[in-house]
Amino acid sequence: MIETAFARRPRWTTWLFVGLPIWLVVSAAVAVWWQMKKGPDSDATPPDRRFVLHVSEKLVREDLHKLRDLIGERNLSTPATAKNLKRAASWIAGSLGPSNTGYNVRLVPGPSDVALIHVTLQGKSATPGIWCVTAYDSARGTAVEADGSGVCAVLAAARGIAGDQPKRPIHFLFVPHANDPASPREATGKACLDLIRSAGSATRVLAVRGMATGSSLLLTAPVRQDLPADSITFELATPEISPPGADDPAAWFPHSGFPVNSLTTGTPATDAADPSAAALARSASTLLEFLRRLANH
């Protein structure tokens, strides 16, 4: 009786039992082949553009608030201000890291157990890159002064340029000791120089300081060497500025062999102690475009 029932089963059911598994296997193979041909995440936003945050007054104001009001004075003068210096390092690293801007943050051990913070925007070629250096400590008794505005401007520029693919690499380096006279400046300078040389030297080093007074960039000499021919669009000027002092990272590389400039928007005497977020956002935008020109020159 069992054989009779099987014999009476319609032929199409036999094709269904045999053909359906074959069709599933073939269709799965075709889907895998098509996905491999199309490439992974071809319709997704490229990772290096996913976290680009364009320079805005709102973000700059938030950064100023965090640095000045939430973190405060940052140096080695007291246990509390030394703790704030490390808090500033954590904030900078977190702001630029994978979950926010998307950079691979490198923490380089520095003097007094405080890190140098290094992020790199890779270039299309392996040529020496542009280095943008700023100090995130503060002088004693202050929370945000010349270099505090420099930190906020460099942070904004690093976020805004994160999706670029420049010809040359751009390195952003935040250093812990410059503004406090009692800090280990010489050891910090040596750590910076070692880091730059380990990365293959530099086409230019920009020591970014006060950025709170406007959008015109002022550079110390040598200014014209290796700068883009059309950089005049950024209203670059060559004021009579005295040689960099001990609190200026530009003073750390006198015999490095690569061009070094201090970059600011005003002299220390005219730089605002309480920076305007609007003016600082304009300065950061100009810095970003200047770095873009340098890296593609």
Side-chain angles (χ1 to χ4, degrees), residues 89-124:
S90 298
W91 166 63
I92 293 169
S95 297
L96 296 176
S99 61
N100 287 305
T101 307
Y103 284 106
N104 180 21
V105 178
R106 181 182 179 191
L107 300 178
V108 181
S112 303
D113 194 31
V114 187
L116 285 71
I117 305 162
H118 176 215
V119 301
T120 302
L121 178 62
Q122 296 296 340
K124 296 178 183 178

Side-chain angles (χ1 to χ4, degrees), residues 90-266:
S90 298
W91 166 63
I92 293 169
S95 297
L96 296 176
S99 61
N100 287 305
T101 307
Y103 284 106
N104 180 21
V105 178
R106 181 182 179 191
L107 300 178
V108 181
S112 303
D113 194 31
V114 187
L116 285 71
I117 305 162
H118 176 215
V119 301
T120 302
L121 178 62
Q122 296 296 340
K124 296 178 183 178
S125 65
T127 57
I130 309 298
W131 286 76
C132 189
V133 182
T134 192
Y136 64 86
D137 68 330
S138 69
R140 300 188 181 197
T142 65
V144 174
E145 71 304 315
D147 284 10
S149 61
V151 169
C152 292
V154 173
L155 270 176
R159 294 176 185 135
I161 207 170
D164 279 28
Q165 293 182 318
K167 176 182 176 182
R168 303 176 187 275
I170 301 176
H171 301 268
F172 296 95
L173 181 59
F174 299 81
V175 299
H177 304 298
N179 293 291
D180 179 14
S183 64
R185 292 169 172 169
E186 185 176 348
T188 303
K190 183 180 183 303
C192 289
L193 188 57
D194 291 344
L195 179 59
I196 294 172
R197 285 176 171 163
S198 70
S201 190
T203 299
R204 182 168 296 273
V205 176
L206 300 174
V208 180
R209 308 207 64 204
M211 297 289 287
T213 58
S215 57
S216 297
L217 302 183
L218 307 178
L219 280 80
T220 56
V223 172
R224 296 299 172 189
Q225 179 183 353
D226 298 329
L227 288 182
D230 58 352
S231 61
I232 193 66
T233 56
F234 300 106
E235 303 178 53
L236 297 182
T238 56
E240 293 298 326
I241 298 179
S242 59
D247 60 344
D248 186 344
W252 297 344
F253 315 108
H255 308 295
S256 62
F258 37 73
V260 181
N261 302 116
S262 287
L263 187 152
T264 181
T265 57

Side-chain angles (χ1 to χ4, degrees), residues 64-109:
L64 280 171
H65 171 64
K66 291 171 184 175
L67 192 62
R68 175 181 54 204
D69 303 323
L70 300 183
I71 297 176
E73 183 179 341
R74 310 167 304 283
N75 50 53
L76 301 177
S77 59
T78 69
T81 58
K83 182 178 179 180
N84 288 345
L85 187 60
K86 292 188 176 183
R87 290 176 62 203
S90 298
W91 166 63
I92 293 169
S95 297
L96 296 176
S99 61
N100 287 305
T101 307
Y103 284 106
N104 180 21
V105 178
R106 181 182 179 191
L107 300 178
V108 181

Side-chain angles (χ1 to χ4, degrees), residues 278-295:
L280 187 49
R282 291 194 297 271
S283 299
S285 296
T286 307
L287 173 63
L288 187 158
E289 292 302 325
F290 184 52
L291 290 172
R292 187 172 279 154
R293 294 291 180 93
L294 286 176

